[in-house]
């Protein structure tokens, strides 16, 4: 999650989402699961500079040595990126998605992941949208195509 994204007014509050993502990363790391960060950049303008402080991934979730960072230029993490090839190369068949915004980037990425044959879980308490209604509606739609569950259920399963 980049600094500028975490500064948006979101539901649920972004601090809780960042904390859930920290816990998720610790749990996944302990299980030996790879961590993929998706960074959004614009092609031109203020949000195009990958070194800009606003484009940096928040310090609580800063990539570690073994983490993979993929840069995207649209809402779907697969569109125009090496994400699919990278996941295939690593033998990944199941993905768990967390991030902002549920109704936009998370939903688009989940839909593409399903069409590419991945088993997809969207982590309901590690995602956020611009309003409670948008968040709830997005999760309800996603439930028709993927597994939607809280982080605790993923960790237990």
């Amino acid at each position: 999650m980049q600094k500028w994204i975490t500064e948006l007014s979101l539901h649920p509050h972004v601090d809780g989402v960042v904390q859930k993502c920290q816990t998720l990363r610790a749990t996944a790391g302990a299980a030996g699961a790879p961590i993929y960060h998706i960074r959004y950049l614009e092609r031109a303008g203020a949000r195009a500079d990958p070194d800009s402080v606003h484009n940096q991934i928040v310090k609580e979730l800063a990539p570690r040595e073994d983490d993979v960072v993929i840069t995207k230029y649209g809402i779907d993490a697969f569109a125009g990126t090496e994400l699919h090839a990278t996941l295939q190369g690593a033998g990944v068949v199941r993905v768990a998605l967390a991030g902002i915004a549920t109704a936009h980037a998370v939903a688009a990425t989940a839909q593409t992941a399903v069409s590419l044959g991945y088993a997809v879980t969207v982590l309901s308490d590690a995602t956020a949208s611009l309003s409670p209604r948008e968040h709830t509606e997005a999760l309800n739609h996603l439930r028709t195509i993927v597994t939607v569950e809280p982080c605790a259920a993923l960790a237990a399963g």
Side-chain angles (χ1 to χ4, degrees):
M1 273 177 231
Q2 292 156 262
K3 183 172 175 33
W4 74 268
I5 294 171
T6 63
E7 292 171 346
L8 297 172
S9 177
L10 299 166
H11 174 80
H13 193 271
V14 73
D15 290 343
V17 173
V18 170
Q19 290 172 356
K20 289 290 184 181
C21 287
Q22 284 179 289
T23 301
L24 177 65
R25 179 167 70 179
T27 302
I35 306 296
Y36 297 85
H37 298 268
I38 308 300
R39 174 179 59 184
Y40 169 77
L41 295 179
E42 292 180 355
R43 295 199 183 273
R47 293 190 182 142
D49 180 3
D51 297 322
S52 163
V53 68
H54 295 292
N55 283 332
Q56 297 300 307
I57 295 172
V58 295
K59 66 180 179 182
E60 297 90 342
L61 300 171
R64 297 180 180 155
E65 186 177 323
D66 292 339
D67 293 353
V68 176
V69 178
I70 305 280
T71 299
K72 67 177 185 168
Y73 296 94
I75 63 170
D76 183 344
F78 288 98
T81 73
E82 68 275 12
L83 181 58
H84 181 51
T86 302
L87 294 174
Q88 282 187 312
V92 173
V93 297
R94 180 177 182 208
V95 295
L97 302 177
I100 301 168
T102 316
H104 304 283
V106 175
T109 300
Q111 291 172 353
T112 299
V114 167
S115 72
L116 293 171
Y118 294 97
V120 180
T121 300
V122 170
L123 300 165
S124 57
D125 54 351
T127 59
S129 277
L130 297 175
S131 72
R133 180 179 176 182
E134 182 180 81
H135 183 67
T136 299
E137 287 177 356
L139 291 175
N140 286 339
H141 167 70
L142 286 165
R143 282 185 179 92
T144 67
I145 59 170
V146 303
T147 300
V148 176
E149 62 188 17
C151 292
L154 182 70

